[in-house]
Amino acid sequence: MKIGVTGATGQLGRIVVEKLKERVSAESIVALVRTPQKAADLGVEAREFDYSKPETLAASLQGIDKLLLISSNEIGQRSAQHANIIDAAKVAGVKWIVYTSLLHADTSSLSLAGEHLDTEAALKASGIPHTILRNGWYTENYTGSAKNAIAAGAFIGSAGEGKIASAARADYAEAAAVVLSSEGHVGKVYELSGDEAYTLADLAAEISHQTGKNIPYHNLPESEYASILKSVGVPEGFAFAIAGWDVSASKGDLFDDVHQLSQLIGRPTTPLAKVVTDALA
Ligand SMILES: NC(=O)c1ccc[n+]([C@@H]2O[C@H](COP(=O)([O-])OP(=O)(O)OC[C@H]3O[C@@H](n4cnc5c(N)ncnc54)[C@H](OP(=O)(O)O)[C@@H]3O)[C@@H](O)[C@H]2O)c1
């Protein structure tokens, strides 16, 4: 029984491999990666797997029984890339695909939702048994800005009073490892989010608490926030995308309270305070 993990040299994929090794033998895990040399420290077999070379994918999937398809980070190309991977999986006889989608992809106003929905539809059309992990926001997406906020004297964003039920990458990675190494998940769609929901004002208060400095949250209009991101070097398209995701957050698109993630991993999700502490270390 071989478990293939795409994106295994990415931030989420590395933790998935680590968590899988706690549950199954390292010999049964195959890292499917763009650059096998980058996977040398993972301690598992690594095969070249570049989404932009569709003609090579089926050969790399030979002998893979279960496939974790971690969504690509190449926004705009993902529907086509993922469709190619699913086609190759069919050719190679993969028996089960687990896909990392987006929280409430079917109703979310996030600009990212469309590509995830396309992939969910392609999985359905493929006839390959599959499981959808609709991952919420990584807490690190926000805590990664903590040091900049301290330097600037304020945490900025456009998420208003929106409640954000994010979770640490490690929580989502563990859920993927649990699903891949246990039974009863075929056909399921899991909405995965953190146990704790916070606003960006709550996050700023936590940063203030941990640093002893007064770091308020300043809510900005979408275009103003995007302009500030652009002024500090974020490419224009990405700056507007980030600001737009915050506007979706203000509408509640990053919120959920069904606790499916903590149920899957059998423990509470990592507290916001802990992720802030890690970000400030
Ligand atoms: N839920 C959230 O808040 C959130 C936030 C950000 C991203 N995401 C999604 O979740 C995914 C995993 O997150 P992450 O933090 O691990 O992202 P990441 O660190 O950026 O990793 C993305 C992975 O995709 C691989 N990849 C990109 N293009 C590829 C290609 N053409 N061929 C083969 N591999 C390719 C990268 O390979 P290399 O290692 O070779 O670069 C990397 O391993 C992201 O890709 C994105 O779809 C979710």
Side-chain angles (χ1 to χ4, degrees):
M1 175 67 66
K2 293 266 187 201
I3 304 175
V5 178
T6 75
T9 47
Q11 298 168 88
L12 182 74
R14 283 188 167 277
I15 315 175
V16 171
V17 171
E18 184 190 309
K19 301 282 180 193
L20 264 179
K21 282 164 72 180
E22 293 167 6
R23 292 170 170 80
V24 300
S25 72
E27 291 71 34
S28 64
I29 304 169
V30 179
L32 298 160
V33 297
R34 184 157 46 180
T35 315
Q37 300 89 296
K38 275 176 66 181
D41 60 326
L42 290 176
V44 300
E45 180 190 351
R47 298 185 191 165
E48 190 178 331
F49 197 76
D50 187 331
Y51 310 153
S52 60
K53 297 178 185 164
E55 67 287 354
T56 66
L57 300 177
S60 298
L61 289 170
Q62 285 306 316
I64 300 294
D65 302 287
K66 305 178 182 179
L67 174 67
L68 175 64
L69 170 47
I70 293 184
S71 53
S72 167
N73 59 5
E74 298 182 322
I75 296 170
Q77 297 177 50
R78 301 190 291 180
S79 299
Q81 289 179 334
H82 298 167
N84 288 335
I85 296 164
I86 294 164
D87 288 347
K90 194 154 190 180
V91 172
V94 170
K95 298 179 186 68
W96 178 34
I97 299 179
V98 178
Y99 173 64
T100 63
S101 182
L102 175 75
L103 185 67
H104 297 301
D106 50 344
T107 55
S108 177
S109 72
L110 282 158
S111 60
L112 301 164
E115 290 179 304
H116 288 296
L117 273 186
D118 286 349
T119 304
E120 290 189 10
L123 278 169
K124 207 170 177 183
S126 74
I128 302 173
H130 57 275
T131 301
I132 310 289
L133 303 178
R134 285 188 172 161
N135 288 351
W137 227 227
Y138 301 150
T139 307
E140 290 90 340
N141 296 347
Y142 283 124
T143 57
S145 304
K147 286 184 176 168
N148 287 342
I150 294 163
F155 197 102
I156 59 169
S158 298
E161 294 294 306
K163 287 266 187 194
I164 298 159
S166 64
R169 264 194 193 83
D171 298 332
Y172 297 110
E174 191 165 337
V178 165
V179 166
L180 287 163
S181 59
S182 57
E183 304 289 322
H185 306 291
V186 170
K188 298 259 174 75
V189 177
Y190 292 106
E191 303 287 353
L192 301 181
S193 59
D195 291 333
E196 189 184 0
Y198 58 89
T199 63
L200 291 188
D202 295 333
L203 172 58
E206 181 60 35
I207 295 168
S208 303
H209 173 71
Q210 292 198 20
T211 58
K213 295 177 179 153
N214 179 30
I215 310 294
Y217 173 58
H218 289 168
N219 197 60
L220 304 173
E222 182 179 3
S223 58
E224 197 178 322
Y225 179 35
S227 297
I228 292 175
L229 291 173
K230 204 178 134 194
S231 73
V232 296
V234 179
E236 183 168 4
F238 196 48
F240 275 93
I242 293 171
W245 299 335
D246 254 19
V247 172
S248 292
S250 76
K251 298 175 188 161
D253 282 333
L254 300 184
F255 178 74
D256 192 79
D257 59 359
V258 294
H259 302 273
Q260 287 192 337
L261 178 51
S262 49
Q263 284 161 21
L264 268 182
I265 60 182
R267 61 165 173 82
T269 56
T270 309
L272 173 66
K274 167 77 168 75
V275 188
V276 169
T277 304
D278 292 347
L280 296 176

